[in-house]
Amino acid sequence: MLQDKYFNIFYVDFALSSAFYSPCLKPACAWSFYFRVLHTSEWSDTMETTRTFTFSDERDTMEILIPEVIDPAFGMYVWPCAPVLAQYVWFHREEIRNKHVLEIGAGTALPGILAAKCGGIVSLSDSANYPRCLDNCRKSCEANGLRGVSIHGLTWGEFSPALLQFPPQDIILGSDCFYSTKDFEDILVTVAYLLQKMPTAEFWTTYQERSADRSIEHLLMKWKMCCRHVPLPLFDADSTGIAGSTLPGNHTVHMMVITLCRDSG
């Protein structure tokens, strides 16, 4: 079957890239990224699917649909960090309401889409060099009936007119942005600039632990930012399956809140 063919091709490609970037991730774990396929179709030699995430507590339930494309571009499908950050958004949804929220490196934009559904004034962004990721952001908005969400090409570390003119934000979201060490400072430079526009703003971010040798501590000090780690049990994210999915699985994911450091003097 054509569908099986595409799954097999993706499985091999993903397993190889995972082994390169994360030696502790076994190829078989690639399958844990997939759950409840609602729709599949052939699209430009790739396969498009739609996934569902259901966030709920004793008061509310909300379903989010996320289109994915089985494609080598990292931003085209949901990674383990995204449901964890989305769960943090869900837990703090009252704080999100009527606040200006920007998701950077959005990709499939699960956290940002949820923030918009919870009443946030949301902007989604990804690299201006990845138009297909920006298109996927638009598809995520369409799948969830969101018409007021703006999409922007913001490339980390580049002070483009789009970034310089970007309005102040109350909350910045970033899911697994700290993936490649070569991007770490570019990410934090961009975040620091945005935080300076609104000194009370916060950067809510999740990252997957891939190596004990990776750290952003020295970069936070350089750009005068402070970091607070948030234990996952505090917002009900300490399970292998969040929002009805199989993610984050057995991956170790951390939640951080980054702000500008306040001068003690």
Side-chain angles (χ1 to χ4, degrees):
M1 292 176 61
L2 180 63
Q3 179 175 338
D4 290 337
K5 173 185 175 182
Y6 276 104
F7 263 112
N8 289 338
I9 291 173
F10 169 72
Y11 171 73
V12 173
D13 289 347
F14 184 84
L16 289 173
S17 65
S18 295
F20 178 78
Y21 286 107
S22 181
C24 63
L25 178 61
K26 297 179 181 179
C29 294
W31 290 106
S32 70
F33 282 78
Y34 294 96
F35 50 90
R36 193 178 167 191
V37 179
L38 301 181
H39 172 72
T40 61
S41 63
E42 185 179 349
W43 181 54
S44 300
D45 296 327
T46 61
M47 187 174 69
E48 184 177 356
T49 65
T50 301
R51 316 291 174 181
T52 185
F53 295 82
T54 304
F55 296 87
S56 62
D57 56 22
E58 65 279 359
R59 294 183 296 144
D60 300 301
T61 297
M62 185 172 293
E63 185 176 271
I64 305 294
L65 302 179
I66 298 294
E68 297 180 315
V69 178
I70 308 308
D71 184 277
F74 296 155
M76 305 296 278
Y77 41 84
V78 179
W79 288 72
C81 282
V84 177
L85 181 56
Q87 177 66 20
Y88 191 79
V89 168
W90 174 250
F91 197 80
H92 294 277
R93 60 190 181 277
E94 296 302 325
E95 299 175 33
I96 292 280
R97 189 179 305 276
N98 297 321
K99 295 291 180 65
H100 288 87
V101 180
L102 167 66
E103 184 173 3
I104 63 171
T108 55
L110 172 60
I113 294 295
L114 179 60
K117 296 280 282 187
C118 290
I121 305 167
V122 173
S123 301
L124 303 175
S125 72
D126 211 309
S127 172
N129 301 318
Y130 299 140
R132 290 183 67 187
C133 287
L134 295 172
D135 286 342
N136 220 47
C137 289
R138 294 185 183 94
K139 288 185 178 183
S140 291
C141 291
E142 293 169 0
N144 292 279
L146 296 171
R147 294 181 175 82
V149 175
S150 56
I151 313 293
H152 306 268
L154 298 179
T155 304
W156 301 329
E158 291 186 8
F159 284 81
S160 63
L163 178 63
L164 295 174
Q165 297 167 13
F166 211 84
Q169 301 293 302
D170 298 294
I171 298 167
I172 303 166
L173 303 174
S175 169
D176 210 11
C177 293
F178 298 105
Y179 180 84
S180 176
T181 53
K182 66 180 178 59
D183 294 327
F184 284 8
E185 186 158 24
D186 286 342
I187 296 165
L188 289 175
V189 166
T190 302
V191 169
Y193 175 76
L194 291 167
L195 292 178
Q196 287 167 4
K197 289 191 172 191
M198 176 71 80
T200 58
E202 296 182 336
F203 177 36
W204 297 358
T205 183
T206 47
Y207 74 96
Q208 181 178 328
E209 186 177 308
R210 296 181 174 90
S211 171
D213 297 329
R214 296 184 178 187
S215 174
I216 61 171
E217 184 176 0
H218 65 293
L219 294 172
L220 291 171
M221 294 177 62
K222 177 179 178 179
W223 295 102
K224 297 180 172 56
M225 290 186 285
C226 296
C227 174
R228 172 170 58 90
H229 287 264
V230 183
L232 302 190
L234 291 184
F235 56 102
D236 299 333
D238 55 332
S239 68
T240 57
I242 293 175
S245 75
T246 57
L247 298 175
N250 294 319
H251 303 287
T252 301
V253 175
H254 300 275
M255 174 73 209
M256 302 185 296
V257 175
I258 295 175
T259 61
L260 294 178
C261 292
R262 309 308 194 249
D263 292 333
S264 58

